Amino acid sequence: NPYMVINDPKYLDYASSAPPLREALQLFTESASEFYANPSSMHTTGISARNKMLELKNGFCELLGFHDGRLLLCSSGTEANNTVVQGFMRMIPGGHMLIAENVHESIWFATRLYPGRTDILKIDNHGKIDPGQVRKQLKDRPCRVCISHGCNETGVIQPVQVMAEYCDYHHIPLLVDGAQTVGHIPINLDEVPCAYYTFSSHKFGAPKGTGGALIRDEAFGNLLFGGK
């Protein structure tokens, strides 16, 4: 159940991390024991591991209504956000980013690392973003817009469908950080035409050390090198 809530009256820090579901730990143990081969290997055991990985990836994408891109597995939501942000900035030297002022540090770091190539997208007194503000701040250059679906500090949920449709209409790739929303509220990415949607699995009952990015736009370079 992707929307299962674990009730623990002694623990109230679920925005930071949630306890793992027993079902998730069991599946992790079974998969690690049975499908241990390198999924890039061409022998039978490797092919079995690849098929299992694709089965689980496709199942996760189906739960989120994501049918027109690919799932990039990462070690965390931080790595997923860094892959998109740094990959774009390195690959496109003239690239620019418009970053909402309430994003997670794994995106906000770009305002310090690339000070001349980032602008701040303001939020209003209710913590919301005005989609019309995006267009006012854009320049005629390659650009990305970065927002959080849900704020880890206030709980405010952004109108990501409206934002994504607006950016898609103007051909501006949108990065949505879904670390605080996946597994907590219903999400149908078929209705949210964003270029990237990232997540952190330990926030909704998976083992730590897992996360990823759902990707529709491939215009970014690798964060890591040396393997497929």
Side-chain angles (χ1 to χ4, degrees):
N1 183 349
Y3 310 122
M4 179 181 294
V5 176
I6 310 166
N7 294 311
D8 182 352
K10 303 183 296 298
Y11 181 71
L12 300 175
D13 196 21
Y14 281 58
S16 176
S17 187
L21 291 163
R22 275 179 289 183
E23 296 90 340
L25 291 176
Q26 181 179 351
L27 181 58
F28 177 81
T29 300
E30 292 174 356
S31 297
S33 299
E34 184 176 353
F35 301 99
Y36 50 82
N38 187 330
S40 296
S41 298
M42 299 304 295
H43 47 63
T44 302
T45 313
I47 293 172
S48 295
R50 177 176 176 79
N51 290 340
K52 186 63 175 180
M53 180 180 68
L54 292 177
E55 174 192 331
L56 295 174
K57 277 181 147 185
N58 290 335
F60 183 73
C61 290
E62 186 67 33
L63 288 173
L64 297 180
F66 183 72
H67 300 104
D68 57 345
R70 71 182 181 96
L71 167 57
L72 173 67
L73 294 175
C74 300
S75 65
S76 63
T78 293
E79 183 187 333
N81 286 332
N82 269 251
T83 297
V84 175
V85 171
Q86 293 203 61
F88 169 71
M89 290 300 218
R90 287 200 314 268
M91 184 176 181
I92 305 177
H96 199 84
M97 285 195 166
L98 184 57
I99 299 175
E101 61 182 341
N102 66 340
V103 295
H104 186 265
E105 177 63 23
S106 58
I107 295 175
W108 185 255
F109 80 92
T111 62
R112 298 188 302 274
L113 190 60
Y114 309 102
R117 301 170 60 190
T118 55
D119 288 316
I120 308 305
L121 178 61
K122 297 291 185 180
I123 58 176
D124 63 22
N125 291 336
H126 301 286
K128 291 292 183 71
I129 297 170
D130 176 10
Q133 188 66 25
V134 175
R135 190 60 185 167
K136 293 178 184 178
Q137 293 186 237
L138 291 179
K139 308 289 193 303
D140 292 328
R141 51 189 165 185
C143 185
R144 294 288 187 275
V145 176
C146 306
I147 66 172
S148 293
H149 193 167
C151 179
N152 63 314
E153 295 179 346
T154 65
V156 171
I157 305 296
Q158 298 295 342
V160 292
Q161 182 173 355
V162 175
M163 286 284 297
E165 290 174 349
Y166 189 89
C167 289
D168 186 54
Y169 178 80
H170 291 287
H171 307 291
I172 304 161
L174 172 67
L175 165 61
V176 179
D177 182 348
Q180 299 298 334
T181 47
V182 175
H184 298 285
I185 64 173
I187 296 169
N188 183 359
L189 292 179
D190 279 342
E191 299 176 354
V192 182
C194 57
Y196 318 99
Y197 194 95
T198 59
F199 62 91
S200 183
S201 307
H202 72 89
K203 294 181 184 290
F204 56 88
K208 287 181 172 59
T210 54
L214 298 153
I215 296 170
R216 292 184 171 114
D217 186 310
E218 299 283 349
F220 64 93
N222 294 346
L223 183 64
L224 305 175
F225 296 89
K228 295 181 180 181

